[in-house]
Amino acid sequence: MSKKDNIISTTEHVEDAHDEYQDVETLKAGRDHVEVADDEARNYVNPDLIITEEESKRMRNRIHKRVLPLMCLAYITQAMDKGTLGPASIMGWIEDTGAKGNEYALTSTLLWCGIIVGEPMANQLVRRLPLGKLLGSAMLIWSGLLMGLTFSLSIPPVFAIRFLLGMFESLFGPVLLSITVQWYLKDEQPFVSSVWQSMLGASQAIMSLFGYAFYHLSGKKAGLRNWQWMTLTVSLFSFCSAVITFFFLPDSPTRARWLSEEEKTKYVERVRSNNQGIKHKEFKKSQLYEAIQDPYTYCLFMLAFLNTIVVGGINTFNAILINKAFGFSVLDSQLLSIPLGVMVVLTYFLQAYLVTKTRQTLLVMIGTCIPNIVGTIGLITLKPSNSTRGASIVFFYLCQFFQSCNPSIFLMLSRNSAGQTKKSITYATTYIAWAGGNSCASLLFRAQWASRYLPTLYIHLGIYGTFIIVCLTTRVLLVRRNKKKIAAQANEDGTVVTRNERAFEDLTDLQNPDFRYSI
């Protein structure tokens, strides 16, 4: 669909509802004649409403101020919570807990196993419960678990806490994706998704700074080691963030306290062209079967799994690689980890810009593989020495580009899934793949392959090639589907008019004739 078509379909509403409705009761009465399946949108639908492009921008800016910062806060909090063991691993945590062999790697694996176990339940909770309260409650539990990790000085309780952290963290991705779809147009979602997901990079930089700062606390202070003080600080930050999120993140546009009844209708109608609705609690078996039978579900599964099986291992072992494989000191390793977080932020925004500019998400993702391939080959061929440490760190930085595919993969998930039951299944499937890849990723870094992990790097090269093949296959599938939909709606003169009349009927992407796939 062209940009012009998008504008037409999103602005086919009344310019100012205030002139048509003089009070709230009249407004509600005018809505009642519209039958919609969507539970949240019901009583807030007015297909005759026109929203000008200027007004839509003002509404978007208001969402940026009221909703997006809270999404970023939630994401950076969970990223810091699960990222504490990275800097701690070279601050004495391994020795203090008595971790041996692959036990450090297993702390990462168990976290992702917790996400896998929790994901099916999480997505059904997302479909049924208020999103802001659900996310805030999960964050409160994270902060308590992280507090427990502060005082765990043996491996068994660490394993248990990491698994439970994963179970409750399984909520955050589906919640934030659902919020993105509820509030933002499809053309706005690449930027917005990159903003809140880039908080992963920000958290890496912050945790590296924390590691550098707390490393200077030698010995015990008030009975706690330096890494314990760092973990305690993060848990307190997590608690404060949870309280803010619980009370201030709106559950949906129709439940935002800062919107009037009239404004709620406008914010619902603004996302009509997404053809994805707001929220519907009924579970439909037909949509379950469609999700299971849809090849696109398995394309998303493979994209998420292949991406994270590389990224998860690099993130878990980045401090150890810089310290052990490249030969930098502990303090230098903490400082050199800061640019990794900065690179994640920059590459996320670069990819969002390219996706928005080209409207070719999958081709941009393929292009992102190239720096990683170059960096991996460089690390394989370059022999470590004092004279090559600088080149090694540059090649390692190049290996961070592949991580920027992560928001694009979930963008392909959020923009191309419709029908509340089907979305809950495809979300769960993709997040299980995401967690599964992360859980397996650290296991590719076998202790006997240290410190350069050359077999791991060869495996990564094979994964990049497979990822490119899956991207091309997915693109062919979606292009064919769009062509069929356009052909079915074409008039005798060849024009296609998309009115988005069935946007709130809880139809799947395959059922809704107006739905178009983003490629």
Side-chain angles (χ1 to χ4, degrees):
M1 186 188 295
S2 68
K3 189 171 183 178
K4 182 178 179 182
D5 289 334
N6 278 334
I7 293 174
I8 292 174
S9 62
T10 58
T11 59
E12 199 169 298
H13 306 78
V14 181
E15 200 157 338
D16 190 353
H18 183 69
D19 294 337
E20 186 174 351
Y21 304 107
Q22 300 302 318
D23 55 54
V24 171
E25 293 303 317
T26 305
L27 181 64
K28 288 184 176 181
R31 298 188 197 115
D32 289 342
H33 74 281
V34 181
E35 295 294 333
V36 294
D38 195 296
D39 295 306
E40 289 292 315
R42 189 177 296 122
N43 298 326
Y44 291 95
V45 172
N46 180 9
D48 297 324
L49 188 67
I50 294 175
I51 300 173
T52 65
E53 190 171 356
E54 292 75 17
E55 185 175 13
S56 180
K57 288 180 180 178
R58 288 195 298 269
M59 294 166 71
R60 180 193 62 199
N61 291 337
R62 196 175 181 190
I63 301 168
H64 283 346
K65 294 176 182 178
R66 293 277 192 164
V67 180
L68 187 55
L70 294 171
M71 296 170 69
C72 292
L73 179 65
Y75 203 88
I76 198 171
T77 298
Q78 63 80 27
M80 290 174 64
D81 284 359
K82 71 181 179 187
T84 52
L85 290 189
S89 66
I90 57 175
M91 294 172 65
W93 177 89
I94 291 177
E95 293 77 14
D96 292 337
T97 58
K100 298 176 182 178
N102 293 315
E103 287 181 335
Y104 170 66
L106 283 172
T107 62
S108 175
T109 299
L110 285 169
L111 182 138
W112 297 109
C113 287
I115 293 178
I116 292 172
V117 171
E119 204 61 57
M121 295 179 287
N123 277 273
Q124 296 311 311
L125 291 175
V126 167
R127 189 171 59 81
R128 291 176 176 273
L129 300 179
L131 297 182
K133 305 299 182 292
L134 183 63
L135 185 60
S137 300
M139 290 171 67
L140 283 170
I141 296 172
W142 297 343
S143 61
L145 289 170
L146 193 61
M147 183 76 73
L149 193 64
T150 302
F151 301 99
S152 299
L153 296 176
S154 62
I155 287 299
V158 171
F159 282 171
I161 289 172
R162 293 285 285 182
F163 181 83
L164 291 173
L165 273 172
M167 279 196 66
F168 288 98
E169 189 187 318
S170 63
L171 285 163
F172 84 89
V175 168
L176 293 179
L177 275 185
S178 297
I179 292 172
T180 302
V181 172
Q182 284 182 349
W183 289 93
Y184 288 100
L185 299 172
K186 281 190 175 183
D187 285 348
E188 298 165 350
Q189 290 176 20
F191 170 76
V192 172
S193 297
S194 294
V195 169
W196 59 262
Q197 291 192 60
S198 70
M199 294 300 103
L200 175 63
S203 76
Q204 290 177 358
I206 292 171
M207 290 310 302
S208 296
L209 280 172
F210 275 17
Y212 179 81
F214 283 98
Y215 184 78
H216 288 85
L217 293 177
S218 58
K220 288 187 176 181
K221 303 293 183 183
L224 297 180
R225 296 161 176 84
N226 52 9
W227 63 265
Q228 289 179 299
W229 279 111
M230 180 184 69
T231 307
L232 180 62
T233 302
V234 176
S235 68
L236 292 174
F237 171 78
S238 179
F239 175 79
C240 295
S241 300
V243 173
I244 293 171
T245 301
F246 186 90
F247 287 106
F248 294 103
L249 180 64
D251 299 312
S252 72
T254 61
R255 300 193 186 194
R257 292 192 297 264
W258 42 272
L259 289 178
S260 67
E261 293 295 301
E262 181 181 324
E263 289 173 327
K264 289 176 182 178
T265 299
K266 287 187 176 182
Y267 278 82
V268 168
E269 285 295 335
R270 184 175 182 271
V271 296
R272 174 181 285 274
S273 64
N274 289 352
N275 284 290
Q276 294 174 295
I278 303 295
K279 194 182 185 95
H280 185 51
K281 298 178 182 179
E282 180 187 352
F283 187 88
K284 297 182 178 179
K285 289 185 178 179
S286 61
Q287 292 192 13
L288 166 64
Y289 297 142
E290 182 178 312
I292 294 173
Q293 296 169 5
D294 191 347
Y296 184 58
T297 302
Y298 302 99
C299 289
L300 288 170
F301 181 95
M302 289 302 300
L303 289 173
F305 181 82
L306 293 170
N307 178 254
T308 52
I309 200 172
V310 172
V311 171
I314 291 176
N315 286 344
T316 301
F317 281 83
N318 61 51
I320 292 176
L321 284 168
I322 296 172
N323 179 218
K324 304 293 185 183
F326 307 152
F328 290 93
S329 67
V330 172
L331 282 177
D332 287 342
S333 298
Q334 299 284 22
L335 290 175
L336 288 169
S337 295
I338 296 173
L340 295 178
V342 175
M343 281 200 66
V344 169
V345 175
L346 294 177
T347 54
Y348 274 27
F349 280 108
L350 174 62
Q351 180 137 148
Y353 170 78
L354 292 174
V355 167
T356 304
K357 191 75 173 177
T358 65
R359 295 177 179 268
Q360 298 292 335
T361 307
L362 290 160
L363 295 183
V364 172
M365 287 163 59
I366 291 173
T368 308
C369 295
I370 296 173
N372 268 69
I373 293 172
V374 172
T376 302
I377 293 173
L379 291 176
I380 291 172
T381 56
L382 196 66
K383 294 183 178 180
S385 67
N386 288 335
S387 61
T388 59
R389 289 194 305 173
S392 295
I393 199 70
V394 170
F395 283 132
F396 188 61
Y397 285 168
L398 285 176
C399 291
Q400 309 305 309
F401 274 81
F402 192 50
Q403 185 160 326
S404 65
C405 287
N406 188 267
S408 293
I409 291 169
F410 288 108
L411 192 64
M412 295 293 294
L413 169 64
S414 65
R415 294 203 294 180
N416 290 335
S417 298
Q420 297 301 316
T421 302
K422 184 178 182 181
K423 279 202 299 185
S424 70
I425 302 303
T426 54
Y427 278 30
T429 303
T430 307
Y431 271 103
I432 286 172
W434 172 74
N438 275 301
S439 67
C440 296
S442 59
L443 299 180
L444 296 182
F445 287 79
R446 306 295 298 174
Q448 61 267 34
W449 294 345
S451 59
R452 293 182 66 192
Y453 298 98
L454 291 178
T456 306
L457 296 177
Y458 283 113
I459 294 171
H460 283 183
L461 287 175
I463 293 172
Y464 296 138
T466 307
F467 183 84
I468 291 171
I469 292 171
V470 177
C471 282
L472 293 173
T473 303
T474 305
R475 191 176 189 279
V476 170
L477 173 68
L478 298 185
V479 167
R480 287 180 175 177
R481 286 185 176 181
N482 278 343
K483 286 183 178 179
K484 288 182 179 179
K485 284 177 175 283
I486 292 171
Q489 286 188 311
N491 298 322
E492 292 183 1
D493 59 358
T495 59
V496 178
V497 179
T498 304
R499 300 188 183 278
N500 306 307
E501 293 173 341
R502 310 185 69 183
F504 301 108
E505 293 183 23
D506 193 34
L507 300 178
T508 69
D509 49 283
L510 291 174
Q511 293 171 337
N512 192 339
D514 294 330
F515 192 92
R516 297 292 184 268
Y517 295 95
S518 301
I519 58 172

